[in-house]
Amino acid sequence: MSSTNPTRLTETAGPYYFDCPASILDLLGPPINDHAAEWRARCRQRLALTSRRKPRPGDTLVLPEPLTFSDGISEQTFRVGSWGTRTVLLRAGDGAGVRISRLMSRAWNLVAPEGAASAASGAR
């Protein structure tokens, strides 16, 4: 026999994911304990990372720490290119195309292509 009552989870129940949308977080009252406050902070942190603009061809993407790939090469800096309509990441050291899982949930910085800033300031 199945239950007709839905399972009710609170922010104090774990393990949990940090993918609560901002629209829900904004509705919540004060956290009931430190665990709930930490969960909300981690959700907000993920939202800040995933709301950044996506890398565009010509950008340089820099990770805070190098990643080691299956071929044993470690790299921290990547050129953003394109292959047809797809955006691709190329290791700065050897130009090899790579995939980085969960890219938008990771910490990284973008360096705009040279001349982009001067072109933008000249367009005023």
Side-chain angles (χ1 to χ4, degrees):
M1 184 157 139
S2 63
S3 172
T4 58
N5 292 328
T7 301
R8 300 201 188 272
L9 297 176
T10 68
E11 60 194 349
T12 62
Y16 45 81
Y17 296 96
F18 306 109
D19 57 357
C20 183
S23 59
I24 300 298
L25 291 171
D26 293 343
L27 295 173
L28 301 175
I32 60 175
N33 60 28
D34 290 342
H35 188 76
E38 173 65 21
W39 176 78
R40 293 181 192 191
R42 301 271 307 264
C43 287
R44 296 277 184 196
Q45 180 182 30
R46 188 196 68 70
L47 286 167
L49 289 174
T50 58
S51 65
R52 300 172 291 183
R53 84 162 171 87
K54 292 182 179 178
R56 297 182 194 134
D59 288 340
T60 298
L61 185 138
V62 181
L63 299 173
E65 296 180 12
L67 284 179
T68 302
F69 293 90
S70 58
D71 60 3
I73 296 177
S74 294
E75 186 66 64
Q76 167 173 14
T77 304
F78 305 87
R79 291 188 330 269
V80 182
S82 63
W83 186 38
T85 59
R86 292 186 64 182
T87 300
V88 296
L89 295 177
L90 307 169
R91 289 191 302 221
D94 63 3
V98 296
R99 292 181 51 115
I100 299 176
S101 62
R102 300 180 317 274
L103 180 64
M104 292 307 290
S105 296
R106 293 179 179 268
W108 44 260
N109 291 311
L110 285 180
V111 178
E114 290 183 29
S118 61
S121 63
R124 290 181 187 175

